[in-house]
Amino acid sequence: MSKAYKTVVFDLGGVLVDWNPAYVYRTIFKTEDSVRYFLKHICTTAWNEEQDAGRTFAEATDVLVQQFPHFSFEIRQYYNRWTEMLGGPIGPTVSFLEELHKTGLFRLVALTNWSAESFPVALQKFDFLQSFDKILVSGEEKLKKPDVRIFHLMYEKFAIDPSNALFIDDNAMNVLASQSTGMDAVHFTDPVASISRIRQLLSVI
């Protein structure tokens, strides 16, 4: 017998939204190796995630420019051209979200690691975000996944019972963190396989 889920919690980046800083840096650097080096050693994932936890773009940029002054121009393009990093919606997952919304069977929530400064852009750009009943943005709360406190905050703010909620995220660490708080989770790897698995769990054909 399938579990009777009442709430489905979606991550956004990598699940519903294609986002990749390489889209910008491929127009700045001449080789793919240079792009990879810059994003691995200068504007790193860990550095960007500090903005997801509440640090301002200005502060983050200044920190790196002081560390790597010879990359000053390239560093500043990260947030000057941030919107160009948005590749667009991930079509199959967006269609599935809208399908769930139309059924009215589940409460739909988004839990995203996203800067408070740039999330308003996403709200304007992606109409499908209106399908969510609630959205919790890490940058607004100054907490980010996989810190379990952000899951507990979501449960409290939105009156979610984790025992009847299902979480979907492309980051394995976030999946493990959610499971440690009592919420079932699906590690989103690709739209076809992951949506098939979610359909099975939700008994949605």
Side-chain angles (χ1 to χ4, degrees):
M1 180 179 293
S2 62
K3 190 170 183 177
Y5 292 103
K6 294 183 179 180
T7 303
V8 183
V9 182
F10 283 83
D11 174 40
L12 296 182
V15 176
L16 288 157
V17 176
D18 174 26
W19 176 85
N20 190 340
Y23 294 151
V24 166
Y25 287 101
R26 284 172 183 150
T27 72
I28 294 174
F29 294 106
K30 293 182 179 180
T31 68
E32 196 68 19
D33 284 345
S34 296
V35 172
R36 283 194 292 266
Y37 177 87
F38 183 81
L39 295 177
K40 182 176 181 180
H41 298 285
I42 313 297
C43 287
T44 66
T45 298
W47 168 79
N48 178 63
E49 287 177 350
E50 290 302 311
Q51 287 67 271
D52 292 345
R55 184 169 64 177
T56 68
F57 289 169
E59 181 183 357
T61 299
D62 287 346
V63 165
L64 281 195
V65 167
Q66 289 178 21
Q67 287 183 312
F68 307 102
H70 51 298
F71 279 113
S72 174
F73 171 80
E74 293 85 354
I75 291 166
R76 294 186 189 283
Q77 301 321 297
Y78 199 99
Y79 292 116
N80 286 345
R81 298 176 59 183
W82 178 85
T83 57
E84 296 174 51
M85 299 177 186
L86 292 171
I90 298 174
T93 325
V94 170
S95 295
F96 179 59
L97 170 69
E98 292 172 342
E99 178 185 339
L100 291 180
H101 179 66
K102 288 177 182 177
T103 70
L105 296 174
F106 308 98
R107 191 175 183 210
L108 302 175
V109 173
L111 174 60
T112 183
N113 279 0
W114 204 303
S115 165
E117 287 183 73
S118 57
F119 192 69
V121 176
L123 284 174
Q124 290 185 334
K125 186 176 180 67
F126 301 118
D127 291 341
F128 69 82
L129 292 176
Q130 303 306 313
S131 295
F132 288 109
D133 299 293
K134 298 287 185 180
I135 300 176
L136 194 148
V137 179
S138 65
E140 295 174 357
E141 306 298 340
K142 294 182 171 48
L143 278 176
K144 63 181 177 65
K145 298 173 289 182
D147 190 329
V148 295
R149 292 178 297 171
I150 199 169
F151 293 99
H152 291 295
L153 177 65
M154 178 182 69
Y155 302 150
E156 181 180 353
K157 286 191 71 168
F158 302 155
I160 293 172
D161 180 351
S163 70
N164 58 38
L166 180 67
F167 179 57
I168 303 155
D169 199 299
D170 65 318
N171 185 308
M173 291 179 62
N174 298 340
V175 167
L176 291 172
S178 71
Q179 291 170 329
S180 76
T181 67
M183 181 165 55
D184 289 347
V186 171
H187 182 203
F188 189 93
T189 53
D190 70 86
V192 174
S194 299
I195 291 171
S196 176
R197 175 58 179 155
I198 298 161
R199 285 186 186 280
Q200 290 177 345
L201 291 171
L202 299 179
S203 299
V204 176
I205 305 302

